[in-house]
Amino acid sequence: MKEFEKVPYRAITVWKQRAALMHAIIWIVFGVGFFYAQHYNIPLFPLAIIGGLLLIWSILQIGILPRLRWRFHGYRITEQDVWLYDGGWSQKTTVVPLFRVQHVQLGQDPFLRRANLANVELETAATKHHIRGLDLYQAEELRDLLLQRLKEEKHV
């Protein structure tokens, strides 16, 4: 059985940047809450516990999980299926039959665009599946390959 294709290592940086932005917003909200707690003489002990848990969560989300996620993140294209591998602590394998795919598109947010990466989205009647963090050139080639295979499936 062929191994899966891994996404570029620099996808970790994009995942870390997104997590850092999300956690910065959460910490700002926490700081405002802490300020109001001091102002209205609300006990600070529960907030200290919440802050400690939030710190642990931030360290996990920004420092540890992106690398772990990258380790188990990838895809494999066969003649009839697309295999998607994802996960960190719990790994997930999804098999998408090509005859079920209705639409293939590329997507980039500002973080991906700056790193010259893209996501490939496979849309079926029931749901959407993503291959996240591919090189832009690799994503375009994969999209073209999938579209070619879809056309072949339709003509058979």
Side-chain angles (χ1 to χ4, degrees), residues 6-96:
K6 296 189 76 54
V7 299
Y9 191 76
R10 68 182 186 277
I12 294 173
T13 304
V14 171
W15 296 336
K16 285 183 176 189
Q17 289 170 345
R18 278 197 200 124
L21 178 63
M22 179 186 73
H23 283 272
I25 293 168
I26 290 170
W27 277 104
I28 289 170
V29 170
F30 178 78
V32 170
F34 192 81
F35 171 77
Y36 279 110
Q38 282 184 324
H39 184 70
Y40 292 110
N41 294 325
I42 296 173
L44 298 180
F45 182 71
L47 284 177
I49 292 174
I50 292 170
L53 293 173
L54 184 58
L55 179 63
I56 292 169
W57 186 47
S58 296
I59 290 169
L60 282 172
Q61 290 285 322
I62 299 169
I64 297 170
L65 289 179
R67 231 181 227 114
L68 191 60
R69 180 180 173 201
W70 176 82
R71 203 168 151 208
F72 299 105
H73 189 77
Y75 67 96
R76 181 166 40 116
I77 309 294
T78 65
E79 290 297 319
Q80 298 169 348
D81 304 310
V82 177
W83 292 65
L84 306 172
Y85 304 94
D86 198 13
W89 268 292
S90 61
Q91 287 95 41
K92 179 174 77 169
T93 301
T94 305
V95 181
V96 182

Side-chain angles (χ1 to χ4, degrees), residues 5-8 10-12 14-15 18 69-70 73-75 84-86 92 107 109 112 117-122 128-135 138-139 142:
E5 301 286 330
K6 296 189 76 54
V7 299
R10 68 182 186 277
I12 294 173
V14 171
W15 296 336
R18 278 197 200 124
R69 180 180 173 201
W70 176 82
H73 189 77
Y75 67 96
L84 306 172
Y85 304 94
D86 198 13
K92 179 174 77 169
D109 62 24
L112 289 170
L117 297 173
N119 295 331
V120 176
E121 183 179 287
L122 307 171
K128 294 180 183 178
H129 302 280
H130 297 89
I131 304 172
R132 301 180 192 280
L134 296 174
D135 277 315
Q138 183 183 13
L142 180 60

Side-chain angles (χ1 to χ4, degrees), residues 107-119:
Q108 282 185 308
D109 62 24
F111 295 109
L112 289 170
R113 197 169 13 264
R114 199 168 86 192
N116 202 32
L117 297 173
N119 295 331

